[in-house]
Amino acid sequence: MNALATLPLDPQTLRADFPILATTIHDNVPLVYLDNAATTQRPRQVIQTIVDTYERRYANVHRGIHWLSDQSTDLFEEAREGVRAFINAPAREEVIFTHGTTESINLVARSWGDANVRAGDEIVLTVMEHHSNLVPWQQLAARTGCTLRHIPITDDGELILDEFDKLLSPRTRLVALASVSNVLGTINPVEEIVRRAHSAGALVLVDAAQSAAHMPTDVQRWNADFVAFSGHKMLAPSGVGVLWGRRELLDAMPPFLGGGSMIRRVKVDSFEPADLPAKFEAGTPPIVPAIGLGAAIDYINAVGLANIHAYEDVLTRRAHTVLAEVGGVRIVGPALEKKAGIVSFTVEGVHAHDVAQLLDRQGIAVRAGHHCTMPLHKRLGITATARASFYFYNTLDEINLLGRALADAKHVFRRR
Ligand code: PLP
């Protein structure tokens, strides 16, 4: 049988939709883009939607009583409906457009946090969180006097659920965790965490930045209270993100930012906030990025999240095999069955930045450093890792090339 026929999707056909993937860099070396956890690339369909909107249907939204504004508003609200369906949210009003995961989490920490968290309360995070899901809570702790607790991980990068149980108490107000770690690739047991948190009376915020484009997000199945993610990690333009929240929570929360659009009425000394979702969308929102996100979701739906997840598993397995063959490579993170398409590693005797630089010379884009997870790296006892992260347009040949390039890089360093 043709090898391709056994794959869950055909990456070559899909690659043709991504102009940037045909780029050659340096001295005519083909680009091998393995930095998808930082940001994905955009297909023509998304780029064309952006161009069409600016060329024919762009005006400010919800403002003008004119044709063009209605057109733009319709596209913007269609995108919101697209997001609602994509995450199986009960209502469109619960989908708030922000500028990214970072802003979505800050919105909850500021708005819900300041109104509900007091000195003596506790927020439970995990050791593997991105700084975006650590710093806003540290700032909340500084404002309110609440205490932060952290679920520890095993040496393989899995959450220790028994320890989580010990952290939960009537003082716990919120548990905030990533659905997928941006370094370890660990797929966390969100539903189980939510079940345990809810039985202790705590809410749960899920940072879905690394899972939204790769596996289904079903806010009702998760039974979470808030879910945050970014457009640019899922084929959409940068500058748009999403916060989904349970309606009763969002209704009770004060606005985050003040300004135009988020009000029903303003007097010189007071204001009345608008209804959802406008209450949390002060000022001109990221109109075209949000419309682009709608197009990106259409594209992802057409490829199919189940196919994407299954194909990334094939790529990740191959990556583990080729990295093991290089020798002296330590992959951080759990067993393959428990991880997404993110492979972070160290190479014996070579700093991660040097690894990334040597790979770059061969056209391979990976990220190196702490990936905004300093506490996780401290826990792992390392200062930096190199990270290869995959999407459906990557190929097995690219992964093989990564292995060969790493073997070359090791060789270069041995000679020095
Ligand atoms: N959370 C996780 C797990 C991430 O990987 C990232 C980005 O890498 C973020 C949050 C922050 O996303 P953004 O920079 O789009 O706000």
Side-chain angles (χ1 to χ4, degrees), residues 52-340:
D52 287 348
T53 306
Y54 278 127
E55 286 189 349
R56 298 188 295 114
R57 299 179 76 183
Y58 179 74
N60 212 331
V61 290
H62 305 137
R63 301 243 168 122
I65 313 183
H66 59 76
W67 185 87
L68 206 52
S69 176
D70 287 345
Q71 293 284 307
S72 186
T73 304
D74 285 351
L75 292 176
F76 185 68
E77 291 305 323
E78 276 166 26
R80 196 190 305 277
E81 171 55 24
V83 173
R84 185 209 64 72
F86 187 68
I87 62 174
N88 193 28
R92 212 169 48 83
E93 295 74 24
E94 297 175 336
V95 174
I96 314 290
F97 282 126
T98 65
H99 292 91
T101 308
T102 304
E103 186 185 311
S104 299
I105 296 173
N106 275 275
L107 189 164
V108 177
R110 278 271 167 190
S111 172
W112 175 84
D114 285 3
N116 292 283
V117 176
R118 302 281 167 266
D121 287 346
E122 295 183 356
I123 306 280
V124 175
L125 309 169
T126 86
V127 173
M128 66 172 82
E129 295 312 304
H130 188 281
H131 297 165
S132 291
N133 200 24
L134 290 174
V135 178
W137 307 112
Q138 292 169 356
Q139 292 173 309
L140 177 68
R143 290 196 300 277
T144 62
C146 75
T147 304
L148 305 181
R149 304 253 177 252
H150 300 88
I151 310 176
I153 56 170
T154 62
D155 290 342
D156 287 341
E158 286 184 64
L159 294 176
I160 305 175
L161 293 187
D162 288 348
E163 295 298 322
F164 173 48
D165 288 339
K166 291 183 201 153
L167 296 177
L168 288 171
S169 79
R171 292 185 297 278
T172 315
R173 301 306 316 278
L174 178 95
V175 177
L177 84 158
S179 44
V180 167
S181 156
N182 65 313
V183 174
L184 304 160
T186 313
I187 302 171
N188 285 322
V190 171
E191 280 176 72
E192 181 58 25
I193 299 262
V194 171
R195 203 182 57 70
R196 295 185 191 200
H198 281 177
S199 44
L203 300 181
V204 179
L205 177 145
V206 182
D207 170 354
Q210 291 297 344
S211 67
H214 305 272
M215 51 199 83
T217 307
D218 183 332
V219 300
Q220 299 193 59
R221 191 167 54 79
W222 277 352
N223 201 19
D225 300 290
F226 299 105
V227 175
F229 53 97
S230 299
H232 70 96
K233 292 185 196 288
M234 49 187 298
L235 309 182
S238 57
V240 66
V242 171
L243 173 70
W244 170 82
R246 270 182 207 285
R247 183 180 211 131
E248 61 273 23
L249 292 169
L250 294 174
D251 271 336
M253 281 158 54
F256 170 46
L257 300 173
S261 303
M262 48 70 73
I263 48 82
R264 187 198 305 278
R265 220 165 279 113
V266 182
K267 297 185 191 159
V268 284
D269 54 1
S270 64
F271 74 94
E272 211 182 298
D275 290 335
L276 296 173
K279 178 167 84 169
F280 292 110
E281 293 181 354
T284 298
I287 301 168
V288 178
I291 293 168
L293 176 58
I297 285 176
D298 289 344
Y299 192 96
I300 291 172
N301 283 337
V303 180
L305 279 166
N307 296 332
I308 293 174
H309 188 44
Y311 179 63
E312 286 175 358
D313 188 51
V314 174
L315 295 177
T316 309
R317 281 172 194 276
R318 174 69 64 89
H320 274 233
T321 305
V322 300
L323 295 198
E325 281 164 12
V326 172
V329 173
R330 173 189 166 200
I331 297 175
V332 297
L336 280 160
E337 318 74 72
K338 295 181 182 167
K339 77 184 273 175

Side-chain angles (χ1 to χ4, degrees), residues 370-393:
H370 53 68
H371 318 293
C372 300
T373 58
M374 283 186 177
L376 171 63
H377 277 74
K378 182 159 187 273
R379 163 64 182 85
L380 296 172
I382 44 186
T383 50
T385 45
R387 179 184 71 186
S389 50
F390 314 127
Y391 208 21
F392 56 74
Y393 42 63

Side-chain angles (χ1 to χ4, degrees), residues 393-414:
Y393 42 63
N394 290 125
T395 64
L396 287 166
D397 283 347
E398 289 182 318
I399 309 292
N400 295 339
L401 200 68
L402 171 70
R404 285 201 297 279
L406 265 180
D408 288 353
K410 249 190 79 183
H411 194 61
V412 167
F413 264 81
R414 207 174 298 127

